[in-house]
Amino acid sequence: MTHVSERSGAGSSPTGAGGDRQPWTAGTGRPARKRTSYADAGVSIEAGDRAVELLKSKVKQTRRPEVMGDLGGFAGLFRLDTKKYKHPILASSTDGVGTKLVIAQQMDIHDTVGIDLVAMVVDDLVACGAEPLFLLDYIATGEVVPDKVAEIGAGIADGCRYAGCALLGGETAEHPGVLRPDEYDISATGVGVVEEGEILSSERVEVGDVVIAMRSSGLHSNGYSLVRHVLLGAGRMRLDVVIEDFGRQRTLGEELLTPTKIYAQDCLKLIAEAEVRVLAHVTGGGIPGNLVRVLPEHVDAVVNRSTWKPQPIFELVQSKGRIEDVEMEATFNLGVGMFAVVSAEDADRALATLTGRGVDAWQAGEIIEGTGNVQMVGQHTRG
């Protein structure tokens, strides 16, 4: 993060966070009297500076060769290597984490939601074939607690490392009176690049192509308002209760905070090794709502539910909330975080590539003649 909002490089007193005098002074010539400071309004410049200092080592780990300068400037600089591309196209994406943050705040665990944030952004970028280059984050909080902000930022930096992109800068904003001291919200914008002739689009999809599914790590970052309603509200479950079905003595809270799987580097490798037509990032709207976005009007995607078993968390949510199957399918990823549509000839190669990278992937369906719809067939295995 580059700086704390509403800060122009100076603190609320003539000395900065490090105790050095600022290179300017201001006075009115009026008699001294009790003065109101920014801190009196609930904003601590020093706390923000401390949070940035705590993050610097983590941010440096995300540095790419194209990054210019260091943290602390007014803008992040990134030298795009145009020699690598004939016709480079920039791609951008903005997202947040949603009410999963409420779980993190209730559990006082803040070092994983940053991974969720990066995943939501970079896996949208790679869906068009773009390599994520850099990310800018935004953290709004009721009170800047340096260690907490550093934990959030560390998760963002970890996510950027997994995605292969630089954490180029960002903003930390203190909003006293708007957010409670323990509340915060986060968002990010990412930028990627793809060769114009290699953009993944629905025009590439053909009848006979194979639909490959990549397993999710769980709920990812979608549907948490419904999850909180049925489990913590009406279900009156506690976050610290151990759920036997989750295994490894995992609590409900730990399961709900499982970080979102980041597929960006796996998908870029897949694109390099196989004929990938399109990628579909499964977020809000579930499998049919996202896969349909990459289909042309003359084909359908047939997805066979019997080819995989959703994680136990989905069955818990459905049973506790008495949620209809169609509602579950329209809200959650149900165990699949990313789809790749590949040519039939390259299906085995694609699966071998993903398996070699440790991605749990399988053939989940096929492309047939149709009208641009997703056909969900079969039933998930249970038990």
Side-chain angles (χ1 to χ4, degrees), residues 249-303:
Q249 291 295 300
R250 281 171 65 85
T251 66
L252 175 62
E254 289 170 337
E255 178 66 29
L256 295 182
L257 284 187
T258 301
T260 303
K261 168 73 174 172
I262 295 177
Y263 302 94
Q265 288 298 308
D266 303 314
C267 288
L268 289 174
K269 182 64 174 177
L270 180 63
I271 291 169
E273 295 292 332
E275 183 62 37
V276 178
R277 311 293 198 194
V278 290
L279 294 167
H281 185 199
V282 183
T283 55
I287 291 171
N290 286 281
L291 189 52
V292 73
R293 297 165 64 180
V294 297
L295 297 179
E297 294 183 354
H298 66 281
V299 305
D300 281 0
V302 179
V303 176

Side-chain angles (χ1 to χ4, degrees), residues 64-84:
R64 289 174 51 124
E66 303 97 329
V67 175
M68 302 172 63
D70 295 315
L71 285 179
F74 287 97
L77 301 177
F78 191 95
R79 182 188 289 110
L80 181 63
D81 185 1
T82 56
K83 294 180 180 179
K84 290 176 58 177

Side-chain angles (χ1 to χ4, degrees), residues 312-333:
I313 183 62
F314 296 106
E315 186 174 349
L316 177 65
V317 170
Q318 184 169 18
S319 62
K320 284 288 186 180
R322 298 180 181 178
I323 304 172
E324 297 289 341
D325 288 347
V326 65
E327 183 69 18
M328 289 291 296
E329 209 152 64
T331 306
F332 302 106
N333 66 64

Side-chain angles (χ1 to χ4, degrees), residues 49-365:
D49 289 339
R50 175 61 178 158
V52 173
E53 286 298 318
L54 291 173
L55 271 173
K56 280 188 175 180
S57 63
K58 272 284 191 179
V59 175
K60 285 182 179 179
Q61 295 176 23
T62 74
R63 191 178 180 92
R64 289 174 51 124
E66 303 97 329
V67 175
M68 302 172 63
D70 295 315
L71 285 179
F74 287 97
L77 301 177
F78 191 95
R79 182 188 289 110
L80 181 63
D81 185 1
T82 56
K83 294 180 180 179
K84 290 176 58 177
Y85 308 91
K86 294 181 179 179
H87 301 287
I89 301 297
L90 294 180
S92 64
S93 177
T94 297
D95 214 330
V97 178
T99 61
K100 186 172 186 175
L101 296 177
V102 176
I103 307 296
Q105 291 159 22
Q106 289 176 340
M107 295 189 66
D108 197 24
I109 296 176
H110 313 286
D111 60 351
T112 60
V113 290
I115 299 173
D116 294 295
L117 178 63
V118 176
M120 298 302 288
V121 173
V122 300
D123 286 340
D124 275 356
L125 288 175
V126 81
C128 71
E131 175 191 0
L133 297 176
F134 59 82
L135 183 133
L136 302 167
D137 64 30
Y138 178 80
I139 303 174
T141 181
E143 178 183 354
V144 171
V145 179
D147 288 342
K148 181 188 292 187
V149 173
E151 287 183 46
I152 300 168
I156 298 173
D158 285 341
C160 286
R161 284 195 298 108
Y162 304 153
C165 67
L167 180 52
L168 195 59
E171 177 86 355
T172 300
E174 197 164 26
H175 291 170
V178 178
L179 297 171
R180 294 195 310 268
D182 61 336
E183 282 185 319
Y184 60 84
D185 195 10
I186 59 177
S187 63
T189 295
V191 172
V193 64
V194 59
E195 183 67 58
E196 184 173 9
E198 298 174 4
I199 296 174
L200 302 183
S201 69
S202 60
E203 298 172 357
R204 292 172 170 245
V205 179
E206 300 178 3
V207 173
D209 287 343
V210 170
V211 178
I212 290 176
M214 301 176 219
R215 184 169 291 278
S216 69
S217 56
L219 289 166
H220 282 185
S221 299
N222 301 104
Y224 272 77
S225 293
L226 179 56
V227 169
R228 289 168 45 243
H229 173 69
V230 300
L231 297 186
L232 307 182
R236 297 185 179 181
M237 296 184 69
R238 291 175 37 160
L239 291 172
D240 60 358
V241 64
V242 174
I243 306 296
E244 184 177 348
D245 287 346
F246 295 164
R248 298 174 310 207
Q249 291 295 300
R250 281 171 65 85
T251 66
L252 175 62
E254 289 170 337
E255 178 66 29
L256 295 182
L257 284 187
T258 301
T260 303
K261 168 73 174 172
I262 295 177
Y263 302 94
Q265 288 298 308
D266 303 314
C267 288
L268 289 174
K269 182 64 174 177
L270 180 63
I271 291 169
E273 295 292 332
E275 183 62 37
V276 178
R277 311 293 198 194
V278 290
L279 294 167
H281 185 199
V282 183
T283 55
I287 291 171
N290 286 281
L291 189 52
V292 73
R293 297 165 64 180
V294 297
L295 297 179
E297 294 183 354
H298 66 281
V299 305
D300 281 0
V302 179
V303 176
N304 192 337
R305 303 183 186 95
S306 68
T307 60
W308 82 94
K309 176 183 176 182
Q311 293 91 333
I313 183 62
F314 296 106
E315 186 174 349
L316 177 65
V317 170
Q318 184 169 18
S319 62
K320 284 288 186 180
R322 298 180 181 178
I323 304 172
E324 297 289 341
D325 288 347
V326 65
E327 183 69 18
M328 289 291 296
E329 209 152 64
T331 306
F332 302 106
N333 66 64
L334 293 184
V336 179
M338 183 75 78
F339 281 104
V341 176
V342 305
S343 67
E345 295 79 9
D346 276 6
D348 289 342
R349 182 194 299 271
L351 287 170
T353 298
L354 292 171
T355 300
R357 293 184 60 82
V359 179
D360 186 358
W362 64 94
Q363 183 171 332

